[in-house]
Amino acid sequence: MEQYMPVPDTLEWRKIAAGFAKLAFPNCIGAMDGKHVVIEAPPNSGSVYYNYKGTFSIVLLAVVDARYCFRLVDIGAYGRNSDGGTLSASAFGTALRQNTLGIPEDTILPGAEHLGPMPYVFVADEAFPLRRNIMRPYPGYNIGERKVFNNRLSHVRRMVECAFGILASQWRVYRRVLCVSPEVAEGVVKATCMLHNFMRWDTSIATALPSEAATSESSEGLQHAPRLGANNAGREAVAVREKFAQYFMTEAGRVPWQDTI
């Protein structure tokens, strides 16, 4: 674990950000999402593991880098929790709120001195709250710079979706219900995440692209988490998202494909 899923320090966060910068999203230090790992109903557990799809599960919350490697995972939250609730209750969420993750200091985006220092951020979908260090898409139908921002965010957020697809494709245990206790299921998930990293650790960004078969693999044992993120966000978080949206429209920040996806 110390070798293939070490807790990133400030220097490692910068290396992760350099990887995402090659994917046209500067100051990004991870793509974040959650999945339900389906288990059999634990005895005398009531409804705490019962999720919105009518199955019993534990939650795998993961932060993935630009090589599809799991950099942070939280495993074992009750299946009834949403992604946002799982994040709030996790050790990762607590450390993020208390600013103890070693995230680098705010920095200027390339060619955007007029925007001032910008924070390093995790990208996520609508299931997560908008925070200073968590960027989620603009809700609803959007045009102009907001649409471009959503496209650029989606482009890098796919890394975590692809990582889950590779995980389900490589390990057949995710193609069925895990007939074990929640504690054993946590160990199984942790082992597969570690082996996933072991197999991909020395790959580069250019060679990390997964096959279509791996990313589209369906599985019974790995399910989407519900999107129940709150829309109320602080002024600072809203301002950070607006600045990213503005940056992606500048000559220094735009890319040729951003209007076509």
Side-chain angles (χ1 to χ4, degrees), residues 1 4-9 13 16 29-33 60-65 69-75 87 91-93 95-96 101 103 122 160 164 193 197:
M1 185 169 182
Y4 293 107
M5 198 184 290
V7 177
D9 56 16
W13 285 126
I16 294 172
I29 52 176
M32 179 168 54
D33 201 2
L60 164 60
L61 176 68
V63 174
V64 173
D65 66 17
C69 287
F70 294 103
R71 304 312 301 261
L72 294 171
V73 295
D74 184 87
I75 306 166
L87 172 65
F92 165 62
L96 187 60
L101 282 174
I103 295 174
F122 299 94
V160 66
F164 285 138
C193 289
N197 280 9

PDB file of all heavy atoms in Angstrom, residues 1 4-9 13 16 29-33 60-65 69-75 87 91-93 95-96 101 103 122 160 164 193 197:
ATOM      1  N   MET A   1       0.834  -1.208   0.000  1.00  0.00           N
ATOM      2  CA  MET A   1       0.000   0.000   0.000  1.00  0.00           C
ATOM      3  C   MET A   1       0.868   1.258   0.000  1.00  0.00           C
ATOM      4  O   MET A   1       0.548   2.242  -0.668  1.00  0.00           O
ATOM      5  CB  MET A   1      -0.921  -0.004   1.219  1.00  0.00           C
ATOM      6  CG  MET A   1      -1.912   1.144   1.245  1.00  0.00           C
ATOM      7  SD  MET A   1      -3.166   0.921   2.514  1.00  0.00           S
ATOM      8  CE  MET A   1      -4.165   2.358   2.229  1.00  0.00           C
ATOM      9  N   TYR A   4       2.069   1.470  -3.774  1.00  0.00           N
ATOM     10  CA  TYR A   4       1.136   1.570  -4.895  1.00  0.00           C
ATOM     11  C   TYR A   4      -0.139   2.352  -4.592  1.00  0.00           C
ATOM     12  O   TYR A   4      -0.952   2.556  -5.478  1.00  0.00           O
ATOM     13  CB  TYR A   4       0.785   0.175  -5.404  1.00  0.00           C
ATOM     14  CG  TYR A   4       1.981  -0.506  -6.024  1.00  0.00           C
ATOM     15  CD1 TYR A   4       2.638  -1.547  -5.376  1.00  0.00           C
ATOM     16  CD2 TYR A   4       2.486  -0.073  -7.246  1.00  0.00           C
ATOM     17  CE1 TYR A   4       3.750  -2.154  -5.944  1.00  0.00           C
ATOM     18  CE2 TYR A   4       3.593  -0.667  -7.816  1.00  0.00           C
ATOM     19  CZ  TYR A   4       4.223  -1.706  -7.159  1.00  0.00           C
ATOM     20  OH  TYR A   4       5.335  -2.292  -7.730  1.00  0.00           O
ATOM     21  N   MET A   5      -0.331   2.791  -3.362  1.00  0.00           N
ATOM     22  CA  MET A   5      -1.395   3.742  -3.064  1.00  0.00           C
ATOM     23  C   MET A   5      -0.984   4.610  -1.871  1.00  0.00           C
ATOM     24  O   MET A   5      -1.691   4.683  -0.859  1.00  0.00           O
ATOM     25  CB  MET A   5      -2.727   3.047  -2.773  1.00  0.00           C
ATOM     26  CG  MET A   5      -3.945   3.988  -2.895  1.00  0.00           C
ATOM     27  SD  MET A   5      -5.506   3.197  -2.450  1.00  0.00           S
ATOM     28  CE  MET A   5      -5.714   2.061  -3.810  1.00  0.00           C
ATOM     29  N   PRO A   6       0.141   5.279  -1.990  1.00  0.00           N
ATOM     30  CA  PRO A   6       0.568   6.161  -0.892  1.00  0.00           C
ATOM     31  C   PRO A   6      -0.308   7.395  -0.823  1.00  0.00           C
ATOM     32  O   PRO A   6      -0.821   7.865  -1.839  1.00  0.00           O
ATOM     33  CB  PRO A   6       2.008   6.520  -1.274  1.00  0.00           C
ATOM     34  CG  PRO A   6       2.008   6.442  -2.776  1.00  0.00           C
ATOM     35  CD  PRO A   6       1.066   5.325  -3.129  1.00  0.00           C
ATOM     36  N   VAL A   7      -0.497   7.922   0.377  1.00  0.00           N
ATOM     37  CA  VAL A   7      -1.244   9.175   0.510  1.00  0.00           C
ATOM     38  C   VAL A   7      -0.412  10.290  -0.106  1.00  0.00           C
ATOM     39  O   VAL A   7       0.732  10.511   0.290  1.00  0.00           O
ATOM     40  CB  VAL A   7      -1.523   9.484   1.994  1.00  0.00           C
ATOM     41  CG1 VAL A   7      -2.244  10.825   2.131  1.00  0.00           C
ATOM     42  CG2 VAL A   7      -2.352   8.367   2.622  1.00  0.00           C
ATOM     43  N   PRO A   8      -0.925  10.993  -1.109  1.00  0.00           N
ATOM     44  CA  PRO A   8      -0.123  12.023  -1.788  1.00  0.00           C
ATOM     45  C   PRO A   8       0.292  13.151  -0.850  1.00  0.00           C
ATOM     46  O   PRO A   8      -0.495  13.584   0.002  1.00  0.00           O
ATOM     47  CB  PRO A   8      -1.063  12.538  -2.885  1.00  0.00           C
ATOM     48  CG  PRO A   8      -2.066  11.448  -3.087  1.00  0.00           C
ATOM     49  CD  PRO A   8      -2.254  10.834  -1.736  1.00  0.00           C
ATOM     50  N   ASP A   9       1.522  13.601  -1.011  1.00  0.00           N
ATOM     51  CA  ASP A   9       1.964  14.804  -0.323  1.00  0.00           C
ATOM     52  C   ASP A   9       1.923  15.964  -1.321  1.00  0.00           C
ATOM     53  O   ASP A   9       1.455  15.809  -2.452  1.00  0.00           O
ATOM     54  CB  ASP A   9       3.366  14.622   0.262  1.00  0.00           C
ATOM     55  CG  ASP A   9       4.397  14.205  -0.780  1.00  0.00           C
ATOM     56  OD1 ASP A   9       4.123  14.347  -1.991  1.00  0.00           O
ATOM     57  OD2 ASP A   9       5.479  13.730  -0.395  1.00  0.00           O
ATOM     58  N   TRP A  13       0.884  15.800  -5.255  1.00  0.00           N
ATOM     59  CA  TRP A  13      -0.290  16.484  -5.789  1.00  0.00           C
ATOM     60  C   TRP A  13       0.083  17.295  -7.014  1.00  0.00           C
ATOM     61  O   TRP A  13      -0.666  17.363  -7.995  1.00  0.00           O
ATOM     62  CB  TRP A  13      -0.914  17.398  -4.737  1.00  0.00           C
ATOM     63  CG  TRP A  13      -1.689  16.726  -3.637  1.00  0.00           C
ATOM     64  CD1 TRP A  13      -1.502  16.882  -2.296  1.00  0.00           C
ATOM     65  CD2 TRP A  13      -2.800  15.815  -3.765  1.00  0.00           C
ATOM     66  NE1 TRP A  13      -2.404  16.120  -1.588  1.00  0.00           N
ATOM     67  CE2 TRP A  13      -3.216  15.458  -2.466  1.00  0.00           C
ATOM     68  CE3 TRP A  13      -3.472  15.262  -4.848  1.00  0.00           C
ATOM     69  CZ2 TRP A  13      -4.269  14.584  -2.220  1.00  0.00           C
ATOM     70  CZ3 TRP A  13      -4.531  14.385  -4.607  1.00  0.00           C
ATOM     71  CH2 TRP A  13      -4.916  14.058  -3.315  1.00  0.00           C
ATOM     72  N   ILE A  16       0.403  14.968  -9.949  1.00  0.00           N
ATOM     73  CA  ILE A  16      -0.932  14.584 -10.427  1.00  0.00           C
ATOM     74  C   ILE A  16      -1.540  15.724 -11.247  1.00  0.00           C
ATOM     75  O   ILE A  16      -2.136  15.501 -12.313  1.00  0.00           O
ATOM     76  CB  ILE A  16      -1.835  14.215  -9.237  1.00  0.00           C
ATOM     77  CG1 ILE A  16      -1.314  12.950  -8.547  1.00  0.00           C
ATOM     78  CG2 ILE A  16      -3.280  14.011  -9.699  1.00  0.00           C
ATOM     79  CD1 ILE A  16      -2.032  12.624  -7.242  1.00  0.00           C
ATOM     80  N   ILE A  29      -6.374  18.007  -9.405  1.00  0.00           N
ATOM     81  CA  ILE A  29      -5.579  17.012  -8.684  1.00  0.00           C
ATOM     82  C   ILE A  29      -6.334  15.704  -8.477  1.00  0.00           C
ATOM     83  O   ILE A  29      -5.946  14.886  -7.652  1.00  0.00           O
ATOM     84  CB  ILE A  29      -5.095  17.565  -7.329  1.00  0.00           C
ATOM     85  CG1 ILE A  29      -6.259  18.138  -6.525  1.00  0.00           C
ATOM     86  CG2 ILE A  29      -4.018  18.622  -7.541  1.00  0.00           C
ATOM     87  CD1 ILE A  29      -5.866  18.617  -5.128  1.00  0.00           C
ATOM     88  N   GLY A  30      -7.403  15.483  -9.241  1.00  0.00           N
ATOM     89  CA  GLY A  30      -8.084  14.210  -9.133  1.00  0.00           C
ATOM     90  C   GLY A  30      -9.504  14.252  -9.656  1.00  0.00           C
ATOM     91  O   GLY A  30     -10.185  15.286  -9.556  1.00  0.00           O
ATOM     92  N   ALA A  31      -9.945  13.139 -10.234  1.00  0.00           N
ATOM     93  CA  ALA A  31     -11.337  12.958 -10.637  1.00  0.00           C
ATOM     94  C   ALA A  31     -12.005  12.063  -9.598  1.00  0.00           C
ATOM     95  O   ALA A  31     -11.485  11.000  -9.262  1.00  0.00           O
ATOM     96  CB  ALA A  31     -11.423  12.326 -12.026  1.00  0.00           C
ATOM     97  N   MET A  32     -13.149  12.474  -9.086  1.00  0.00           N
ATOM     98  CA  MET A  32     -13.766  11.828  -7.935  1.00  0.00           C
ATOM     99  C   MET A  32     -15.156  11.314  -8.268  1.00  0.00           C
ATOM    100  O   MET A  32     -15.929  11.972  -8.951  1.00  0.00           O
ATOM    101  CB  MET A  32     -13.829  12.832  -6.785  1.00  0.00           C
ATOM    102  CG  MET A  32     -14.459  12.343  -5.515  1.00  0.00           C
ATOM    103  SD  MET A  32     -14.159  13.483  -4.129  1.00  0.00           S
ATOM    104  CE  MET A  32     -14.749  15.039  -4.815  1.00  0.00           C
ATOM    105  N   ASP A  33     -15.464  10.119  -7.771  1.00  0.00           N
ATOM    106  CA  ASP A  33     -16.799   9.549  -7.961  1.00  0.00           C
ATOM    107  C   ASP A  33     -16.986   8.402  -6.975  1.00  0.00           C
ATOM    108  O   ASP A  33     -16.024   7.957  -6.326  1.00  0.00           O
ATOM    109  CB  ASP A  33     -16.986   9.055  -9.390  1.00  0.00           C
ATOM    110  CG  ASP A  33     -18.463   8.940  -9.789  1.00  0.00           C
ATOM    111  OD1 ASP A  33     -19.329   9.291  -8.954  1.00  0.00           O
ATOM    112  OD2 ASP A  33     -18.760   8.498 -10.912  1.00  0.00           O
ATOM    113  N   LEU A  60     -17.839   2.510  -2.628  1.00  0.00           N
ATOM    114  CA  LEU A  60     -16.439   2.767  -2.954  1.00  0.00           C
ATOM    115  C   LEU A  60     -16.344   4.197  -3.459  1.00  0.00           C
ATOM    116  O   LEU A  60     -16.818   4.514  -4.542  1.00  0.00           O
ATOM    117  CB  LEU A  60     -15.939   1.783  -4.019  1.00  0.00           C
ATOM    118  CG  LEU A  60     -14.634   2.139  -4.739  1.00  0.00           C
ATOM    119  CD1 LEU A  60     -13.471   2.266  -3.765  1.00  0.00           C
ATOM    120  CD2 LEU A  60     -14.318   1.114  -5.835  1.00  0.00           C
ATOM    121  N   LEU A  61     -15.757   5.077  -2.654  1.00  0.00           N
ATOM    122  CA  LEU A  61     -15.512   6.464  -3.053  1.00  0.00           C
ATOM    123  C   LEU A  61     -14.051   6.573  -3.454  1.00  0.00           C
ATOM    124  O   LEU A  61     -13.164   6.176  -2.686  1.00  0.00           O
ATOM    125  CB  LEU A  61     -15.813   7.417  -1.900  1.00  0.00           C
ATOM    126  CG  LEU A  61     -15.523   8.909  -2.132  1.00  0.00           C
ATOM    127  CD1 LEU A  61     -16.476   9.477  -3.171  1.00  0.00           C
ATOM    128  CD2 LEU A  61     -15.629   9.683  -0.820  1.00  0.00           C
ATOM    129  N   ALA A  62     -13.771   7.080  -4.661  1.00  0.00           N
ATOM    130  CA  ALA A  62     -12.405   7.054  -5.175  1.00  0.00           C
ATOM    131  C   ALA A  62     -12.013   8.369  -5.811  1.00  0.00           C
ATOM    132  O   ALA A  62     -12.836   9.056  -6.415  1.00  0.00           O
ATOM    133  CB  ALA A  62     -12.252   5.923  -6.196  1.00  0.00           C
ATOM    134  N   VAL A  63     -10.734   8.700  -5.668  1.00  0.00           N
ATOM    135  CA  VAL A  63     -10.092   9.800  -6.389  1.00  0.00           C
ATOM    136  C   VAL A  63      -9.057   9.181  -7.313  1.00  0.00           C
ATOM    137  O   VAL A  63      -8.199   8.407  -6.866  1.00  0.00           O
ATOM    138  CB  VAL A  63      -9.418  10.795  -5.428  1.00  0.00           C
ATOM    139  CG1 VAL A  63      -8.627  11.838  -6.206  1.00  0.00           C
ATOM    140  CG2 VAL A  63     -10.460  11.473  -4.543  1.00  0.00           C
ATOM    141  N   VAL A  64      -9.130   9.505  -8.602  1.00  0.00           N
ATOM    142  CA  VAL A  64      -8.312   8.863  -9.633  1.00  0.00           C
ATOM    143  C   VAL A  64      -7.437   9.912 -10.303  1.00  0.00           C
ATOM    144  O   VAL A  64      -7.861  11.059 -10.488  1.00  0.00           O
ATOM    145  CB  VAL A  64      -9.227   8.168 -10.668  1.00  0.00           C
ATOM    146  CG1 VAL A  64      -8.435   7.640 -11.861  1.00  0.00           C
ATOM    147  CG2 VAL A  64      -9.991   7.033 -10.006  1.00  0.00           C
ATOM    148  N   ASP A  65      -6.211   9.515 -10.680  1.00  0.00           N
ATOM    149  CA  ASP A  65      -5.330  10.442 -11.394  1.00  0.00           C
ATOM    150  C   ASP A  65      -5.476  10.269 -12.902  1.00  0.00           C
ATOM    151  O   ASP A  65      -6.345   9.522 -13.377  1.00  0.00           O
ATOM    152  CB  ASP A  65      -3.874  10.287 -10.939  1.00  0.00           C
ATOM    153  CG  ASP A  65      -3.266   8.938 -11.307  1.00  0.00           C
ATOM    154  OD1 ASP A  65      -3.822   8.225 -12.178  1.00  0.00           O
ATOM    155  OD2 ASP A  65      -2.213   8.581 -10.737  1.00  0.00           O
ATOM    156  N   CYS A  69      -5.180   5.544 -12.080  1.00  0.00           N
ATOM    157  CA  CYS A  69      -4.770   4.921 -10.821  1.00  0.00           C
ATOM    158  C   CYS A  69      -5.583   5.514  -9.672  1.00  0.00           C
ATOM    159  O   CYS A  69      -5.840   6.720  -9.634  1.00  0.00           O
ATOM    160  CB  CYS A  69      -3.282   5.139 -10.561  1.00  0.00           C
ATOM    161  SG  CYS A  69      -2.193   4.168 -11.614  1.00  0.00           S
ATOM    162  N   PHE A  70      -5.975   4.657  -8.733  1.00  0.00           N
ATOM    163  CA  PHE A  70      -6.695   5.116  -7.552  1.00  0.00           C
ATOM    164  C   PHE A  70      -5.694   5.745  -6.580  1.00  0.00           C
ATOM    165  O   PHE A  70      -4.782   5.086  -6.103  1.00  0.00           O
ATOM    166  CB  PHE A  70      -7.418   3.951  -6.877  1.00  0.00           C
ATOM    167  CG  PHE A  70      -8.517   3.356  -7.699  1.00  0.00           C
ATOM    168  CD1 PHE A  70      -8.339   2.146  -8.365  1.00  0.00           C
ATOM    169  CD2 PHE A  70      -9.740   3.998  -7.816  1.00  0.00           C
ATOM    170  CE1 PHE A  70      -9.352   1.590  -9.129  1.00  0.00           C
ATOM    171  CE2 PHE A  70     -10.764   3.449  -8.588  1.00  0.00           C
ATOM    172  CZ  PHE A  70     -10.572   2.243  -9.238  1.00  0.00           C
ATOM    173  N   ARG A  71      -5.867   7.026  -6.272  1.00  0.00           N
ATOM    174  CA  ARG A  71      -4.945   7.717  -5.376  1.00  0.00           C
ATOM    175  C   ARG A  71      -5.471   7.806  -3.957  1.00  0.00           C
ATOM    176  O   ARG A  71      -4.708   7.816  -3.001  1.00  0.00           O
ATOM    177  CB  ARG A  71      -4.632   9.112  -5.915  1.00  0.00           C
ATOM    178  CG  ARG A  71      -4.086   9.115  -7.333  1.00  0.00           C
ATOM    179  CD  ARG A  71      -2.960   8.091  -7.533  1.00  0.00           C
ATOM    180  NE  ARG A  71      -1.829   8.316  -6.660  1.00  0.00           N
ATOM    181  CZ  ARG A  71      -0.731   8.940  -7.024  1.00  0.00           C
ATOM    182  NH1 ARG A  71      -0.614   9.423  -8.257  1.00  0.00           N
ATOM    183  NH2 ARG A  71       0.260   9.096  -6.181  1.00  0.00           N
ATOM    184  N   LEU A  72      -6.776   7.916  -3.805  1.00  0.00           N
ATOM    185  CA  LEU A  72      -7.425   7.893  -2.499  1.00  0.00           C
ATOM    186  C   LEU A  72      -8.712   7.091  -2.624  1.00  0.00           C
ATOM    187  O   LEU A  72      -9.453   7.258  -3.593  1.00  0.00           O
ATOM    188  CB  LEU A  72      -7.758   9.305  -2.010  1.00  0.00           C
ATOM    189  CG  LEU A  72      -6.594  10.258  -1.675  1.00  0.00           C
ATOM    190  CD1 LEU A  72      -7.134  11.658  -1.418  1.00  0.00           C
ATOM    191  CD2 LEU A  72      -5.804   9.763  -0.472  1.00  0.00           C
ATOM    192  N   VAL A  73      -8.982   6.227  -1.663  1.00  0.00           N
ATOM    193  CA  VAL A  73     -10.237   5.487  -1.656  1.00  0.00           C
ATOM    194  C   VAL A  73     -10.821   5.481  -0.251  1.00  0.00           C
ATOM    195  O   VAL A  73     -10.093   5.474   0.731  1.00  0.00           O
ATOM    196  CB  VAL A  73     -10.069   4.023  -2.151  1.00  0.00           C
ATOM    197  CG1 VAL A  73      -9.651   3.987  -3.612  1.00  0.00           C
ATOM    198  CG2 VAL A  73      -9.078   3.251  -1.294  1.00  0.00           C
ATOM    199  N   ASP A  74     -12.131   5.518  -0.193  1.00  0.00           N
ATOM    200  CA  ASP A  74     -12.855   5.319   1.060  1.00  0.00           C
ATOM    201  C   ASP A  74     -13.845   4.192   0.797  1.00  0.00           C
ATOM    202  O   ASP A  74     -14.695   4.304  -0.089  1.00  0.00           O
ATOM    203  CB  ASP A  74     -13.585   6.597   1.488  1.00  0.00           C
ATOM    204  CG  ASP A  74     -14.265   6.431   2.837  1.00  0.00           C
ATOM    205  OD1 ASP A  74     -13.610   6.672   3.867  1.00  0.00           O
ATOM    206  OD2 ASP A  74     -15.453   6.037   2.864  1.00  0.00           O
ATOM    207  N   ILE A  75     -13.736   3.108   1.536  1.00  0.00           N
ATOM    208  CA  ILE A  75     -14.510   1.893   1.264  1.00  0.00           C
ATOM    209  C   ILE A  75     -15.321   1.519   2.495  1.00  0.00           C
ATOM    210  O   ILE A  75     -14.802   1.546   3.617  1.00  0.00           O
ATOM    211  CB  ILE A  75     -13.579   0.713   0.894  1.00  0.00           C
ATOM    212  CG1 ILE A  75     -12.650   1.105  -0.259  1.00  0.00           C
ATOM    213  CG2 ILE A  75     -14.387  -0.526   0.528  1.00  0.00           C
ATOM    214  CD1 ILE A  75     -11.491   0.141  -0.450  1.00  0.00           C
ATOM    215  N   LEU A  87     -18.870  11.358   1.063  1.00  0.00           N
ATOM    216  CA  LEU A  87     -17.710  12.250   1.114  1.00  0.00           C
ATOM    217  C   LEU A  87     -17.657  12.998   2.433  1.00  0.00           C
ATOM    218  O   LEU A  87     -16.602  13.084   3.068  1.00  0.00           O
ATOM    219  CB  LEU A  87     -17.764  13.240  -0.049  1.00  0.00           C
ATOM    220  CG  LEU A  87     -16.710  14.358  -0.028  1.00  0.00           C
ATOM    221  CD1 LEU A  87     -15.310  13.776  -0.192  1.00  0.00           C
ATOM    222  CD2 LEU A  87     -16.991  15.385  -1.119  1.00  0.00           C
ATOM    223  N   ALA A  91     -12.964  10.036   5.953  1.00  0.00           N
ATOM    224  CA  ALA A  91     -11.728  10.657   6.435  1.00  0.00           C
ATOM    225  C   ALA A  91     -11.184  11.635   5.399  1.00  0.00           C
ATOM    226  O   ALA A  91     -10.633  12.687   5.749  1.00  0.00           O
ATOM    227  CB  ALA A  91     -10.695   9.572   6.744  1.00  0.00           C
ATOM    228  N   PHE A  92     -11.339  11.307   4.112  1.00  0.00           N
ATOM    229  CA  PHE A  92     -10.902  12.200   3.045  1.00  0.00           C
ATOM    230  C   PHE A  92     -11.670  13.511   3.084  1.00  0.00           C
ATOM    231  O   PHE A  92     -11.096  14.600   2.996  1.00  0.00           O
ATOM    232  CB  PHE A  92     -11.086  11.512   1.690  1.00  0.00           C
ATOM    233  CG  PHE A  92     -11.012  12.438   0.505  1.00  0.00           C
ATOM    234  CD1 PHE A  92      -9.862  13.152   0.231  1.00  0.00           C
ATOM    235  CD2 PHE A  92     -12.111  12.598  -0.331  1.00  0.00           C
ATOM    236  CE1 PHE A  92      -9.797  14.017  -0.860  1.00  0.00           C
ATOM    237  CE2 PHE A  92     -12.050  13.446  -1.422  1.00  0.00           C
ATOM    238  CZ  PHE A  92     -10.890  14.163  -1.683  1.00  0.00           C
ATOM    239  N   GLY A  93     -12.994  13.433   3.224  1.00  0.00           N
ATOM    240  CA  GLY A  93     -13.808  14.637   3.294  1.00  0.00           C
ATOM    241  C   GLY A  93     -13.459  15.499   4.492  1.00  0.00           C
ATOM    242  O   GLY A  93     -13.407  16.727   4.406  1.00  0.00           O
ATOM    243  N   ALA A  95     -10.511  15.578   6.058  1.00  0.00           N
ATOM    244  CA  ALA A  95      -9.199  16.182   5.818  1.00  0.00           C
ATOM    245  C   ALA A  95      -9.294  17.334   4.820  1.00  0.00           C
ATOM    246  O   ALA A  95      -8.589  18.338   4.955  1.00  0.00           O
ATOM    247  CB  ALA A  95      -8.227  15.118   5.307  1.00  0.00           C
ATOM    248  N   LEU A  96     -10.190  17.201   3.836  1.00  0.00           N
ATOM    249  CA  LEU A  96     -10.366  18.266   2.850  1.00  0.00           C
ATOM    250  C   LEU A  96     -10.946  19.517   3.514  1.00  0.00           C
ATOM    251  O   LEU A  96     -10.494  20.637   3.254  1.00  0.00           O
ATOM    252  CB  LEU A  96     -11.285  17.783   1.723  1.00  0.00           C
ATOM    253  CG  LEU A  96     -11.453  18.698   0.506  1.00  0.00           C
ATOM    254  CD1 LEU A  96     -10.120  18.947  -0.172  1.00  0.00           C
ATOM    255  CD2 LEU A  96     -12.453  18.091  -0.483  1.00  0.00           C
ATOM    256  N   LEU A 101      -4.697  17.883   3.796  1.00  0.00           N
ATOM    257  CA  LEU A 101      -4.306  16.930   2.755  1.00  0.00           C
ATOM    258  C   LEU A 101      -2.966  17.278   2.107  1.00  0.00           C
ATOM    259  O   LEU A 101      -2.478  16.520   1.266  1.00  0.00           O
ATOM    260  CB  LEU A 101      -5.387  16.869   1.665  1.00  0.00           C
ATOM    261  CG  LEU A 101      -6.643  16.059   1.977  1.00  0.00           C
ATOM    262  CD1 LEU A 101      -7.663  16.224   0.858  1.00  0.00           C
ATOM    263  CD2 LEU A 101      -6.315  14.584   2.159  1.00  0.00           C
ATOM    264  N   ILE A 103      -2.538  19.813   0.105  1.00  0.00           N
ATOM    265  CA  ILE A 103      -2.806  20.375  -1.223  1.00  0.00           C
ATOM    266  C   ILE A 103      -1.954  21.627  -1.413  1.00  0.00           C
ATOM    267  O   ILE A 103      -1.849  22.459  -0.506  1.00  0.00           O
ATOM    268  CB  ILE A 103      -4.297  20.701  -1.372  1.00  0.00           C
ATOM    269  CG1 ILE A 103      -5.122  19.410  -1.317  1.00  0.00           C
ATOM    270  CG2 ILE A 103      -4.577  21.449  -2.668  1.00  0.00           C
ATOM    271  CD1 ILE A 103      -6.616  19.633  -1.324  1.00  0.00           C
ATOM    272  N   PHE A 122     -10.507  19.126  -7.132  1.00  0.00           N
ATOM    273  CA  PHE A 122     -10.980  17.822  -7.577  1.00  0.00           C
ATOM    274  C   PHE A 122     -12.201  18.053  -8.461  1.00  0.00           C
ATOM    275  O   PHE A 122     -12.995  18.955  -8.194  1.00  0.00           O
ATOM    276  CB  PHE A 122     -11.371  16.943  -6.390  1.00  0.00           C
ATOM    277  CG  PHE A 122     -10.249  16.655  -5.434  1.00  0.00           C
ATOM    278  CD1 PHE A 122     -10.048  17.446  -4.314  1.00  0.00           C
ATOM    279  CD2 PHE A 122      -9.376  15.602  -5.659  1.00  0.00           C
ATOM    280  CE1 PHE A 122      -9.017  17.197  -3.427  1.00  0.00           C
ATOM    281  CE2 PHE A 122      -8.335  15.336  -4.784  1.00  0.00           C
ATOM    282  CZ  PHE A 122      -8.152  16.145  -3.665  1.00  0.00           C
ATOM    283  N   VAL A 160     -12.199   8.817 -13.910  1.00  0.00           N
ATOM    284  CA  VAL A 160     -12.664   7.975 -12.809  1.00  0.00           C
ATOM    285  C   VAL A 160     -13.696   6.970 -13.300  1.00  0.00           C
ATOM    286  O   VAL A 160     -13.733   5.820 -12.845  1.00  0.00           O
ATOM    287  CB  VAL A 160     -13.213   8.840 -11.650  1.00  0.00           C
ATOM    288  CG1 VAL A 160     -14.476   9.592 -12.035  1.00  0.00           C
ATOM    289  CG2 VAL A 160     -13.453   7.991 -10.418  1.00  0.00           C
ATOM    290  N   PHE A 164     -13.270   2.837 -13.024  1.00  0.00           N
ATOM    291  CA  PHE A 164     -14.264   1.884 -12.530  1.00  0.00           C
ATOM    292  C   PHE A 164     -14.573   0.830 -13.591  1.00  0.00           C
ATOM    293  O   PHE A 164     -14.772  -0.354 -13.272  1.00  0.00           O
ATOM    294  CB  PHE A 164     -15.550   2.611 -12.137  1.00  0.00           C
ATOM    295  CG  PHE A 164     -15.456   3.372 -10.842  1.00  0.00           C
ATOM    296  CD1 PHE A 164     -16.011   4.639 -10.730  1.00  0.00           C
ATOM    297  CD2 PHE A 164     -14.832   2.831  -9.730  1.00  0.00           C
ATOM    298  CE1 PHE A 164     -15.937   5.350  -9.542  1.00  0.00           C
ATOM    299  CE2 PHE A 164     -14.748   3.523  -8.537  1.00  0.00           C
ATOM    300  CZ  PHE A 164     -15.309   4.793  -8.436  1.00  0.00           C
ATOM    301  N   CYS A 193      -8.460  -2.728  -5.826  1.00  0.00           N
ATOM    302  CA  CYS A 193      -7.966  -1.375  -6.129  1.00  0.00           C
ATOM    303  C   CYS A 193      -6.441  -1.344  -6.095  1.00  0.00           C
ATOM    304  O   CYS A 193      -5.800  -0.705  -6.939  1.00  0.00           O
ATOM    305  CB  CYS A 193      -8.534  -0.369  -5.130  1.00  0.00           C
ATOM    306  SG  CYS A 193     -10.300  -0.037  -5.312  1.00  0.00           S
ATOM    307  N   ASN A 197      -3.821  -0.679  -9.300  1.00  0.00           N
ATOM    308  CA  ASN A 197      -2.713   0.270  -9.324  1.00  0.00           C
ATOM    309  C   ASN A 197      -1.395  -0.424  -9.646  1.00  0.00           C
ATOM    310  O   ASN A 197      -0.560   0.115 -10.391  1.00  0.00           O
ATOM    311  CB  ASN A 197      -2.594   0.979  -7.976  1.00  0.00           C
ATOM    312  CG  ASN A 197      -3.594   2.105  -7.823  1.00  0.00           C
ATOM    313  OD1 ASN A 197      -4.493   2.269  -8.656  1.00  0.00           O
ATOM    314  ND2 ASN A 197      -3.454   2.880  -6.772  1.00  0.00           N
TER     315      ASN A 197
END
